[in-house]
Amino acid sequence: MSLIHTLARLEAVESGRAQPLATVRHRHLAARPLVFVPLTTAGEAGAPLGALVGADRERPRLLLVPQPRDRDLRFAFLSDLAEELLPYVESFADETEPAERAETDPETGKRVKVEVELCADAPQLIVPSLAGIEFVRLLGRSMRFRRTAEQDPDTPYPAPPRVPLLGRWLTHFAERARVPGSALIAAMTELLSRHWATGQSSLEDQHLGALLAWIDPPGEGRDGEGSGAAAALRAETARDEAGQLLCPPAGPATDPAFDNKLLAPAIERYDRARSAVAAAEDGLAADRHLAELTAAEREIAALVESRTRPTWDAVWRGLDLLAALPEGERAAERWTRDRWSYTGHRDRVLAGEPPQPRLDDAVTAANKLATRETAQARLEAQEALDDPLVMAGRRLSGEAFGGEVTEVVMAYTESKRPSPRPLVTLRTDDSPHLAERAKVYRSLAGKPQSAQFVGYDEEGGVVLRILDKMGRGKEPEEGSVPVKGDRITWTLFEHTPRGGPSLPEPEDTPWTHGGPPGEGAQAPDPVTPEDVL
Amino acid sequence: MSEFPDSAVPTAAVPPTDNAARPAPQATALRQRLAELRGPAVPAKALDARALAALAANPGCRRRALLDGAGVDKSALAQALGSPSGFGQSQFALVRGNAFEAKVKADGGAELLRLVHARLGGGPAPASPGPEGGADTAEVHTPDLTAAGPEGRSARTALALRDAAATRAWTLLDHPMLALDVAGSPAFLEPDAVVVHPDGRWTVVEIKSFPMIDGSADEGKVGSAARQAAVYALALQQVAGRLDPAPPVGHEVVLVCPKDFSNQPTAAVVDVRKQLSVTRRQLGRLTRIEDIAAALPEGTTFDVERSPDELGRAVESVPAAYAPECLAACELAFHCRDRSRTEGEVTSLGRSVRGELGALTTVEDVLAAARGEAGDPDDPVVAALRRAAALRAQALEGAACR
Amino acid sequence: MTPDPTRTHRPDAPDDRSPSDGPPSERSPSDRSPFDPSAEAARATAAILHDTLHGEARGVVVDSPPGAGKSTLVVNAALELAAAGRPLMVVAQTNAQVDDLVLRLAEKQPDLPVGRLHSSDADPYDKALDELDHVRKSTKAADLAGLDVVISTAAKWAHVKNVEPWRHAIVDEAYQMRSDALLAVAGLFERALFVGDPGQLDPFSIVGSEQWAGLSYDPSASAVSTLLAHNPTLPQHRLPVSWRLPASAAPLVSDAFYPYTRFRSGTDHGDRSLSFGVPSDGSGPDRVLDEAAASGWGLLELPARHTPRTDPEAVRAVAEVVRRLLDRGGATVSERSPDPAPLTADRIAVGTAHRDQAAAVRAALAELAVTGVTVDTANRLQGREYDVTVVLHPLSGRPDATAFHLETGRLCVLASRHRQACIVVCRAGVAELLDEHPSTEPVQLGVTVKFPDGWEANHAVLSHLAEHRVPYRPQ
């Protein structure tokens, strides 16, 4: 943690209120995000208990699995979820704009520009916490290899029609979440803790209720009931007379006390009513038991809603807080990359490609890692350029320096057609880690201008030689060279990091990496009769 | 299933057996002292593998070392102090865990042994249950380990292990009981299973109900399973050490989990050499609880029958090393966090926060240094803090003006 | 374990011994069993060259402990392959390593046609290469086609496309190369010799790569681990003798960092010595110098205190030690020069964990008017060699130990750069820090456990250093 971040946390402790870590919003927020608040069953992998989902803050849809161990009920839930999510996701597919993409021509092997479609906007999924993203990944994995009766009439326990497709989309969202700076899916706790420092640890910041309590406390001051600390403590630990948490965890895991005291008895009543319906000997009895069954289901629904609704509201409150920050200039550029990602997956689905494999092959894994490393470097650079508070951190760590221009001396290259190479001296209080002849960059009308570190003058001023962006003539273009008195920030990091070289195609995987991957068709997970979890 | 606390087995006031290390007189004095700390009428909370594995979670905390060493029920203590831990176990997880373990061990452990053989070998395949075994298979033994009390059970386990060494068969010990010498007292540990291979090797098996999906599992959960398994392996090494020749105890343990989204078991081998050496070292350091106990004021007790005030003072008399990671690992964490925050300790914000703060340890001191109200400007920490504060203020001002 | 000079016993090989049982006992240097280092090393080299030139396998892997003659091996292998008429590409990791290899090749065989493939950045290669008549330099592989040997960095090679594959390659520093970097270049050659030191710093990535943990081709793992996971039958060799590390250092470095692939020093006790013309003034720095001169190791221990990384007292102590090292007229004797050679600034290095520490030490040395001494981080000292090193211990004064500070490779690099003596400057209290370090690491299925781990290695080094401790209370 940088000292600036540490100071912000300490100031939060002192003031009883979270302190800013950013002066702009570093993630794009969609005009119409879809919020998904899932709950899962303890001890089971991918056995949802229920969820609130929707793009309308006032009217979330409650989805439910009254008996999480029942496969049919689980499928019904997933089918409902597909019905909510897929129309939203697909609603961005049709409106496109023309764009260009570089592709390798299969004939010549050359890079050529290709005209393609780019979706004008993209869906955005918001979940409460990182565990929510992991749950999305898990759901995606559990669904994408399922077979529907239409795909395979002989499949045992066929999945409802749109469930495998939902699995592919959720997998795509979860995979995209691993790309630094992406916003196709976001966890509210991550969004908030990127922009505010609380007076607690980052581990405790994983609790959405406590995090919000710090950012938007009910009162003022370090101590007292209204402070962020007191409100966060209440959110974490306060329980009612029955021993239930007042602020339920944001999920997908539930509180054991809720499971044991409320949910388990309710599910038991549901099970009892269901067996009674099945065992009913006459219509009258069946009706009576059916009424019991409905009541039991309604009870579970009320329980699930009572544990998800506070989180639902908290997520929207978080969105309000974030929306109040102006969006960073370069966040839009990253959102365009999210749109590319969305468009790409749309195309793969349309082209009838199979679901994402269980494991990446060597080339895909290496490509993903390279993409993410570039994205990370780009994100760090863009955030610093967009936000003086982030830049302050880079200056403190010696990766950037700011100051006033004290002298500009014109100089030229020694070629036949001399080009300008002016020497600029900067007075700075920062201590950048400048190696001999290090390259540094500044933003000139949004484009990076580079310079070379020449040395220090007698007063300790940094002397730089400007290298580019001065036009084609002998004399630099107007405004392209700093003048005395200008205040400039230079960075030691590049502003637009490039990706590395292209890797071989998967079918050309070399012997060192096991050769080309086999044609391993991604078979569905085997289902067994006893797979009633 | 060892994910859950073993049923409490009282270990106080039992005579040492041949299996457990015989305590020296010094150790007896210590046990007496620890019993006083616990309260005269309170039986010691049994140290299970989870508690022993957790010794490495925060080895710098004297408070935890002493309370665990004395067998104090930290959960009850936290309740009495007014900061209950909030740890709990969902019955859904419990039911699922037990059902899975039962499935893995069904049919005389046939599936479990198949998995152990497939992952680690160590002899011909185990014969399938039933009267006739195949030609190139080895017999399977599942000795009865029932006996009275933990000492009886651990003695029975030791016997079964000794017998197994001679058979050149597969032996599955279902919930054996192992005694481990912990700072002079025996702790009784109950692994899910121990397998003796036909080649004589002993292997610890851990059965967990979290899934292995496409060959990988939650790394945090695997980590704690590995630390727990290392404790069992260490106890097994003690048992093996009493045999001549000592059978090898594998440092590779077998972790059995549900495969993907099913209830079918699958297994992975986990190398616990590192966890073994850490646990061994931490157990060795446990002897220092004697020094910690000696430094306490006369009459200190953690008996939960005492008043919260008195208990609070007793707890305060042992220094803690609170860090946010404690919240997931120690029943007393909420109490210690409260104290740490009241004292303004910067570690309550995370261990890493201290990294750049040198000798400054409190929120007030750091802020005072940053604001130029205290501290030597030539101290690089103070200088860096002031620089950080100036840069931060400058950036925020600039943003406010825009 | 029976020592076998050519066959590597890999750390992941089954071994029922747990690390704290101590490393497998081997012949200790005091043991009078006949050990002829030159013969052992020659035997290993011959086997490596035989497998490389005449073997059937597509790859040969050579583990080389610190100072075991890795560069010499690479140069010899390159020359032999060239002599056999096999076009060769050489992959190194940094431009400095590439230029160094070119210079060594030219020194050994000045008329060998060598191509230096370089980037189009400013100053892409060492200007000294311009002096070499038979070295051609270009940014395009096509310009260098047909030369006996073409050398470049992995990063530059990755851009080379659509060329006829080379019959042979040498991959240098292969343990510091990431698996994905090998993936990018492996299509360029048919077979290869992989050489590197498994004990140095592992490659890393700036983003998480947990999702591929345990996969044989995890792109963030080292190139060698991927190579061997897919080709487990490749011949593996190791160089058994360190010519750099003195007899006082090889056993410790071998025990602490290479417990399953042990090596020996090429020289014996008494073959080398460090002495001073000016007697000790009794100060801490002088006493630790005398201790290091006598035993090869010295620990200058400052009082326990939590400090920032750039602990002014520790930094100052490092600088004082270097100043006295020069002032006292140090002289070294070694198998290279039986007559005492003056210990000059260029034969001394200071090693730190962080860049800001290096900067602080440089400033402190400047204050004491010391010039010409190398001061760098462990990362940058990899592969370098000096007579005497002064190390600021990575854990000195820290309130907490992090994975970075505990990394085995970092300590290994710092403790294995010297030919004569290594002096460690450290605050007291590191042993307690290690003992109180929480051990709650996550475990990923299928990932080979790296041995020894940093915690263990730090304990081993520390307990050895404790025998050479000089307490020092700076004024």
Side-chain angles (χ1 to χ4, degrees):
Chain A
M1 202 180 298
S2 86
L3 264 188
I4 289 190
H5 190 159
T6 300
L7 273 181
R9 280 197 187 270
L10 299 184
E11 284 172 10
V13 171
E14 193 186 42
S15 63
R17 169 183 283 274
Q19 297 296 312
L21 275 183
T23 65
V24 296
R25 175 160 42 76
H26 288 292
R27 298 294 180 276
H28 173 78
L29 285 188
R32 200 167 59 92
L34 183 117
V35 174
F36 179 41
V37 179
L39 288 187
T40 186
T41 315
E44 314 269 356
L49 168 65
L52 279 184
V53 60
D56 182 343
R57 175 180 202 155
E58 303 307 326
R59 269 184 295 280
R61 172 142 181 225
L62 176 70
L63 305 177
L64 191 67
V65 190
Q67 170 45 281
R69 295 156 57 89
D70 184 302
R71 187 193 337 241
D72 293 334
L73 294 173
R74 207 157 61 228
F75 272 159
F77 167 91
L78 295 174
S79 189
D80 290 347
L81 187 61
E83 201 179 284
E84 274 307 305
L85 267 167
L86 287 178
Y88 171 78
V89 169
E90 287 163 351
S91 68
F92 297 89
D94 294 337
E95 199 183 320
T96 61
E97 58 193 41
E100 279 188 339
R101 193 168 57 199
E103 276 181 8
T104 308
D105 187 309
E107 303 272 302
T108 61
K110 292 226 168 77
R111 299 290 280 174
V112 287
K113 294 266 184 203
V114 190
E115 281 269 324
V116 288
E117 281 184 344
L118 171 63
C119 292
D121 203 357
Q124 185 174 50
L125 226 61
I126 309 284
V127 293
S129 63
L130 281 180
I133 291 182
E134 284 312 305
F135 192 66
V136 165
R137 185 188 319 287
L138 202 69
L139 282 181
R141 169 64 184 80
S142 76
M143 286 188 276
R144 69 181 193 263
F145 300 112
R146 294 280 183 205
R147 290 282 213 278
T148 62
E150 196 184 329
Q151 287 170 315
D152 178 2
D154 297 330
T155 191
Y157 315 106
R162 304 253 282 168
V163 162
L165 181 62
L166 177 64
R168 297 176 62 176
W169 273 109
L170 291 189
T171 302
H172 185 73
F173 278 104
E175 204 56 10
R176 184 71 191 164
R178 287 172 160 154
V179 178
S182 66
L184 219 47
I185 182 171
M188 185 47 69
T189 48
E190 293 301 289
L191 289 175
L192 293 174
S193 49
R194 170 66 196 86
H195 295 88
W196 284 278
T198 65
Q200 60 184 5
S201 70
S202 50
L203 278 174
E204 290 151 311
D205 282 351
Q206 302 288 319
H207 190 294
L208 180 57
L211 181 57
L212 274 169
W214 274 102
I215 297 172
D216 192 11
E220 295 293 328
R222 173 178 186 159
D223 305 306
E225 283 300 291
S227 73
L233 186 66
R234 274 200 303 280
E236 266 184 323
T237 57
R239 290 178 185 270
D240 62 16
E241 322 75 68
Q244 296 299 320
L245 286 168
L246 295 181
C247 171
T254 48
D255 179 34
F258 167 74
D259 283 9
N260 297 343
K261 287 194 188 146
L262 299 179
L263 187 61
I267 290 180
E268 213 178 295
R269 277 192 285 280
Y270 175 86
D271 284 345
R272 253 199 324 269
R274 213 150 68 131
S275 355
V277 171
E281 285 175 357
D282 56 61
L284 212 62
D287 281 352
R288 197 176 63 241
H289 292 310
L290 216 51
E292 282 167 16
L293 184 65
T294 314
E297 183 168 340
R298 213 175 286 139
E299 190 194 354
I300 298 175
L303 283 175
V304 169
E305 166 143 45
S306 72
R307 301 302 123 160
T308 45
R309 187 64 197 230
T311 306
W312 171 271
D313 292 336
V315 170
W316 286 99
R317 204 166 122 225
L319 285 170
D320 290 344
L321 289 165
L322 287 162
L325 287 171
E327 184 169 300
E329 199 185 320
R330 292 165 179 82
E333 192 264 357
R334 295 194 295 277
W335 178 246
T336 303
R337 293 175 189 274
D338 282 321
R339 285 162 52 207
W340 277 111
S341 165
Y342 169 73
T343 310
H345 193 61
R346 178 201 72 157
D347 294 346
R348 282 189 291 278
V349 169
L350 281 177
E353 285 185 26
Q356 302 94 327
R358 288 179 172 79
L359 297 171
D360 292 329
D361 59 66
V363 172
T364 305
N367 273 325
K368 280 184 180 175
L369 179 60
T371 305
R372 290 174 200 170
E373 287 195 304
T374 311
Q376 177 69 34
R378 187 188 303 123
L379 177 67
E380 285 174 10
Q382 291 186 338
E383 287 194 348
L385 294 169
D386 281 352
D387 186 344
L389 191 49
V390 179
M391 188 63 92
R394 306 298 291 267
R395 288 169 62 183
L396 186 68
S397 63
E399 297 166 287
F401 56 103
E404 193 180 316
V405 175
T406 53
E407 198 181 5
V408 179
V409 178
M410 268 321 287
Y412 299 89
T413 54
E414 287 174 8
S415 52
K416 269 185 229 136
R417 280 189 54 215
S419 309
R421 289 289 183 270
L423 290 167
V424 174
T425 308
L426 200 80
R427 198 179 56 220
T428 178
D429 294 334
D430 298 330
S431 357
H433 295 300
L434 286 166
E436 218 178 302
R437 290 197 297 205
K439 248 185 155 183
V440 297
Y441 311 86
R442 69 152 173 164
S443 183
L444 182 64
K447 293 266 177 352
Q449 182 178 48
S450 55
Q452 192 177 47
F453 171 56
V454 178
Y456 295 99
D457 70 4
E458 302 84 63
E459 279 102 55
V462 178
V463 184
L464 303 172
R465 178 180 288 118
I466 310 278
L467 298 176
D468 55 15
K469 298 280 183 304
M470 290 172 288
R472 292 165 176 275
K474 179 167 187 258
E475 293 312 315
E477 281 172 7
E478 182 75 26
S480 66
V481 176
V483 294
K484 196 172 165 183
D486 279 2
R487 297 199 64 87
I488 304 180
T489 303
W490 292 89
T491 71
L492 279 69
F493 51 86
E494 285 188 55
H495 294 187
T496 50
R498 294 157 297 171
S502 62
L503 291 170
E505 293 298 316
E507 58 267 29
D508 297 326
T509 307
W511 61 276
T512 52
H513 288 63
E519 284 298 309
Q522 296 290 331
D525 292 317
V527 225
T528 55
E530 52 187 345
D531 173 37
V532 194
L533 290 175
Chain B
M1 178 125 186
S2 46
E3 228 168 309
F4 318 115
D6 299 314
S7 50
V9 183
T11 59
V14 290
T17 65
D18 284 344
N19 293 308
R22 201 177 290 276
Q26 218 178 337
T28 319
L30 175 61
R31 285 168 79 177
Q32 198 114 41
R33 176 81 176 109
L34 296 181
E36 283 164 24
L37 288 176
R38 208 160 50 228
V42 188
K45 190 169 158 37
L47 267 178
D48 57 21
R50 264 155 59 101
L52 289 172
L55 288 175
N58 188 1
C61 185
R62 288 157 175 268
R63 185 175 293 169
R64 177 163 194 170
L66 180 73
L67 293 175
D68 279 346
V72 172
D73 182 343
K74 295 204 296 294
S75 197
L77 181 60
Q79 186 85 41
L81 287 165
S83 304
S85 71
F87 288 137
Q89 175 82 48
S90 166
Q91 66 183 66
F92 298 120
L94 206 67
V95 169
R96 157 87 155 150
N98 291 337
F100 179 67
E101 183 174 350
K103 184 178 167 63
V104 171
K105 288 181 175 169
D107 299 330
E111 180 60 12
L112 190 153
L113 286 172
R114 192 189 65 76
L115 286 166
V116 172
H117 175 251
R119 296 293 182 274
L120 285 177
S128 24
E132 72 260 61
D136 40 2
T137 58
E139 268 180 73
V140 171
H141 298 287
T142 49
D144 176 19
L145 300 176
T146 42
E151 298 78 18
R153 288 181 59 198
S154 62
R156 186 70 200 83
T157 297
L159 271 176
L161 281 166
R162 196 195 63 195
D163 295 346
T167 60
R168 312 211 49 86
W170 289 95
T171 306
L172 169 65
L173 284 80
D174 184 1
H175 281 285
M177 180 69 78
L178 303 168
L180 178 69
D181 174 33
V182 177
S185 307
F188 292 97
L189 310 169
E190 193 179 346
D192 293 330
V194 168
V195 169
V196 180
H197 302 243
D199 68 2
R201 185 171 15 146
W202 298 359
T203 294
V204 174
V205 178
E206 273 287 294
I207 302 170
K208 296 291 185 191
S209 62
F210 57 80
M212 274 182 204
I213 297 175
D214 300 332
S216 65
D218 183 309
E219 53 182 39
K221 289 176 178 162
V222 177
S224 34
R227 284 188 290 280
Q228 216 173 307
V231 175
Y232 298 135
L234 205 58
L236 269 183
Q237 284 179 355
Q238 284 194 359
V239 178
R242 288 192 280 272
L243 297 181
D244 186 27
V249 179
H251 63 245
E252 293 184 312
V253 303
V254 174
L255 177 64
V256 180
C257 293
K259 180 172 165 43
D260 300 336
F261 302 94
S262 74
N263 56 358
Q264 300 296 319
T266 186
V269 171
V270 181
D271 181 335
V272 298
R273 273 180 291 179
K274 188 182 157 157
Q275 289 79 7
L276 263 172
S277 76
V278 167
T279 309
R280 206 178 280 132
R281 200 173 177 96
Q282 293 305 345
L283 285 181
R285 289 179 80 233
L286 259 191
T287 49
R288 81 206 154 102
I289 58 178
E290 195 162 1
D291 306 331
I292 303 172
L296 294 179
E298 192 71 26
T300 302
T301 177
F302 304 105
D303 188 343
V304 291
E305 298 300 313
R306 302 297 177 102
S307 73
D309 264 6
E310 208 177 329
L311 280 178
R313 276 197 304 278
V315 169
E316 281 318 297
S317 66
V318 207
Y322 169 78
E325 288 80 6
C326 295
L327 292 169
C330 181
E331 294 86 345
L332 220 54
F334 282 131
H335 174 81
C336 298
R337 179 177 74 174
D338 186 45
R339 300 300 309 159
S340 175
R341 283 181 174 173
T342 310
E343 303 289 324
E345 288 171 7
V346 291
T347 20
S348 69
L349 298 172
R351 281 199 178 99
S352 65
V353 173
R354 273 196 67 191
E356 292 305 290
L357 297 176
L360 301 174
T361 56
T362 68
V363 175
E364 259 164 50
D365 288 354
V366 176
L367 287 177
R371 288 173 183 148
E373 296 157 5
D376 173 3
D378 288 336
D379 177 346
V381 172
V382 176
L385 274 171
R386 290 185 188 170
R387 184 83 197 116
L391 282 168
R392 178 170 161 77
Q394 191 189 329
L396 286 172
E397 262 167 44
C401 297
R402 280 191 314 195
Chain C
M1 193 189 305
T2 339
D4 173 341
T6 57
R7 208 47 75 150
T8 302
H9 191 118
R10 303 206 63 76
D12 46 305
D15 187 316
D16 281 321
R17 214 181 294 270
S18 75
S20 50
D21 294 336
S25 59
E26 217 182 307
R27 291 167 295 180
S28 74
S30 59
D31 193 335
R32 285 291 151 221
S33 54
F35 179 81
D36 179 348
S38 300
E40 294 286 331
R43 195 151 46 228
T45 307
I48 293 163
L49 291 177
H50 179 269
D51 275 354
T52 304
L53 285 147
H54 312 294
E56 296 291 311
R58 294 192 76 172
V60 175
V61 176
V62 178
D63 286 7
S64 168
K70 184 170 63 65
S71 302
T72 311
L73 173 72
V74 169
V75 168
N76 287 343
L79 293 177
E80 294 228 6
L81 285 164
R86 302 200 204 165
L88 170 71
M89 63 179 276
V90 180
V91 184
Q93 307 309 314
T94 67
N95 279 308
Q97 287 163 2
V98 170
D99 292 334
D100 185 55
L101 279 174
V102 174
L103 291 167
R104 279 171 184 262
L105 275 172
E107 192 185 353
K108 200 86 183 272
Q109 193 178 323
D111 60 349
L112 182 75
V114 173
R116 164 66 161 107
L117 181 64
H118 61 81
S119 73
S120 40
D121 294 344
D123 308 313
Y125 59 86
D126 189 337
K127 287 278 169 278
L129 268 52
D130 288 332
E131 312 295 316
L132 304 172
D133 294 335
H134 294 271
V135 173
R136 196 189 301 167
K137 296 151 304 255
S138 175
T139 59
K140 293 198 186 68
D143 295 346
L144 307 173
L147 297 181
D148 287 19
V149 182
V150 182
I151 311 187
S152 192
T153 59
K156 178 64 187 173
W157 278 120
H159 286 280
V160 174
K161 307 277 173 208
N162 306 322
V163 291
E164 193 62 22
W166 272 263
R167 281 182 62 193
H168 236 289
I170 297 179
V171 180
D172 195 9
E173 302 290 2
Y175 283 92
Q176 275 70 56
M177 183 183 197
R178 247 172 39 179
S179 171
D180 54 353
L182 178 61
L183 176 64
V185 302
L188 295 172
F189 53 80
E190 286 167 11
R191 38 191 295 154
L193 169 65
F194 297 85
V195 185
D197 180 352
Q200 300 209 7
L201 286 158
D202 289 330
F204 63 94
S205 66
I206 59 167
V207 295
S209 54
E210 294 80 10
Q211 84 183 100
W212 305 293
L215 288 184
S216 52
Y217 46 73
D218 175 355
S220 68
S222 99
V224 180
S225 62
T226 291
L227 175 79
L228 289 175
H230 287 287
N231 304 274
T233 58
L234 294 185
Q236 295 167 47
H237 297 268
R238 82 191 156 98
L239 297 173
V241 175
S242 174
W243 300 104
R244 173 193 309 148
L245 291 175
S248 58
L252 171 63
V253 174
S254 178
D255 286 357
F257 302 105
Y258 302 82
Y260 301 103
T261 52
R262 295 170 51 91
F263 64 89
R264 312 250 306 215
S265 170
T267 53
D268 208 342
H269 293 281
D271 288 354
R272 291 186 189 162
S273 74
L274 169 65
S275 58
F276 299 107
V278 177
S280 164
D281 62 7
S283 67
D286 272 19
R287 279 163 50 222
V288 82
L289 285 180
D290 290 340
E291 175 65 33
S295 71
W297 295 99
L299 169 65
L300 190 64
E301 190 178 72
L302 276 62
R305 179 179 303 162
H306 288 151
T307 67
R309 292 202 307 225
T310 53
D311 177 0
E313 287 184 353
V315 164
R316 173 87 190 173
V318 168
E320 283 172 6
V321 169
V322 174
R323 181 71 264 174
R324 290 299 295 167
L325 201 46
L326 293 166
D327 286 353
R328 290 182 61 193
T332 59
V333 173
S334 79
E335 70 288 358
R336 285 186 193 164
S337 62
D339 295 328
L343 177 67
T344 48
D346 62 320
R347 297 302 306 151
I348 301 171
V350 176
T352 64
H354 294 280
R355 285 201 305 181
D356 53 0
Q357 294 173 327
V361 171
R362 280 188 210 110
L365 285 173
E367 261 175 49
L368 297 180
V370 174
T371 53
V373 168
T374 303
V375 183
D376 241 321
T377 58
N379 281 328
R380 287 160 181 267
L381 289 176
Q382 295 195 89
R384 314 271 286 275
E385 175 174 302
Y386 300 89
D387 278 333
V388 179
T389 55
V390 183
V391 172
L392 179 56
H393 196 288
L395 292 168
S396 176
R398 287 201 65 83
D400 65 333
T402 69
F404 174 89
H405 299 98
L406 282 175
E407 192 177 347
T408 322
R410 182 158 285 103
L411 189 63
C412 180
V413 169
L414 293 172
S416 62
R417 301 300 99 201
H418 62 283
R419 286 175 53 82
Q420 293 282 356
C422 173
I423 295 148
V424 178
V425 175
C426 187
R427 293 262 169 201
V430 170
E432 290 75 12
L433 177 69
L434 286 172
D435 271 342
E436 304 196 343
H437 178 63
S439 173
T440 48
E441 288 81 4
V443 173
Q444 292 157 328
L445 293 178
V447 176
T448 305
V449 178
K450 171 124 176 141
F451 262 98
D453 81 301
W455 187 80
E456 198 91 28
N458 262 289
H459 264 304
V461 170
L462 212 58
S463 65
H464 184 88
L465 284 174
E467 295 162 25
H468 307 284
R469 188 172 72 100
V470 172
Y472 180 48
R473 190 171 289 277
Q475 302 309 307

